[in-house]
Amino acid sequence: MKFAVLLLAQTFWSLRAGALPSPDPTPIPENADSPDLSNTSIPDALRLDELYGAPDNDFNCKSERNPVVLLHGLSADREVDLNMLQWELNRRGYCTFSQTYGAWDLVPWIGGLRAMADSAKDIADFVREVKDKTGAEKVDIVGHSEGGVQAIYVPMTQDGISDIVERLVALGPAIHGAEYLGFTDLWYIGGEETRAIAKLVQDLIGCPACDDMMTGGTVYSDFKNASKIVQPGNKATIIMSNSDILVKPDVSRIDEPGVDNVIVQDTCPDDVVGHAGLMWDKSVWRLVLNALEENNDVAFPCEIGLPV
């Protein structure tokens, strides 16, 4: 198991090294050494990046608005993903809270990997903690990618959560089955047998959540079989980009009464923001604020997000 998790860590190292936008990126020499996987603590290259780090969870924070729980995406954690949005919300007077969910003990800074049903329980406990410790009547949730899926999935599946949350904002969630750039189509070539093998491989390398979200996975099936995805009393906003090639809008949108499906380009036509870029795009941040404040009439300058 340790080797499998170390291999996974090496894979996500390569993904995350290029994921953080940098105002002055430094080229990596061709002869650069690979990361030392005998040490699975947070790499300095990540920890020392200026975009790394989330605000502390301050349960004494007071605001007229609902406290906001922010949920990171697959392979991220509370320190990198929606952390910059969290700082912005704090600056605007929101009390915000986040945690890393779904990480293996060996690599605690790579979250969202464990079975999503297990993570959903942890997230539900955290939402209850935020409500109880802040004394708020309701909590809002903002999530990106897998975190966006959880923002919808947790109130749908965890007892009592839909009663204590109000607004759900999901950025690029794979509600109707992640296809991982079409790779899952290949897994069905041999029918259910090859699909089962694909699940086994993912489980062995330590990412059952990857299978949960993809077409045919547990969470995909739970959404598909649900009589209602967004629960009564919850106000959901799904924010999507036409430039997102990883999770396309038709995979994200929820066509139910009371759900606001928002395409970035309907407001900012020139914004080519991609799936990962949703977390950093200030145009998207403004759409998130509109959802939290239930005011879509606010005019704001558009920015061009990262097309990744």
Side-chain angles (χ1 to χ4, degrees), residues 263-272 283 287 300-304:
I263 300 292
V264 173
Q265 288 76 21
D266 287 348
T267 302
C268 299
D270 297 327
D271 192 346
V272 293
S283 299
L287 294 173
F300 59 90
C302 291
E303 298 194 15
I304 305 299

Side-chain angles (χ1 to χ4, degrees), residues 213-240:
M213 282 187 292
M214 75 181 187
T215 306
T218 299
V219 171
Y220 163 87
S221 298
D222 287 345
F223 281 137
K224 184 178 180 181
N225 296 327
S227 58
K228 187 171 178 59
I229 293 176
V230 177
Q231 301 306 291
N234 295 166
K235 305 169 184 177
T237 300
I238 313 300
I239 299 177
M240 306 156 281

Side-chain angles (χ1 to χ4, degrees), residues 1-13 37 205:
M1 180 63 183
K2 181 175 181 179
F3 174 77
V5 177
L6 289 176
L7 179 62
L8 188 69
Q10 185 177 40
T11 300
F12 284 124
W13 172 281
L37 293 183
I205 67 169

Side-chain angles (χ1 to χ4, degrees), residues 85-94 96 289:
L85 172 59
Q86 188 173 356
W87 284 110
E88 175 66 11
L89 291 175
N90 281 7
R91 189 180 71 80
R92 290 177 175 268
Y94 287 84
T96 63
L289 282 164

Side-chain angles (χ1 to χ4, degrees), residues 47-58:
R47 182 175 56 83
L48 299 178
D49 192 285
E50 64 184 52
L51 297 179
Y52 181 84
D56 293 335
N57 291 327
D58 179 7

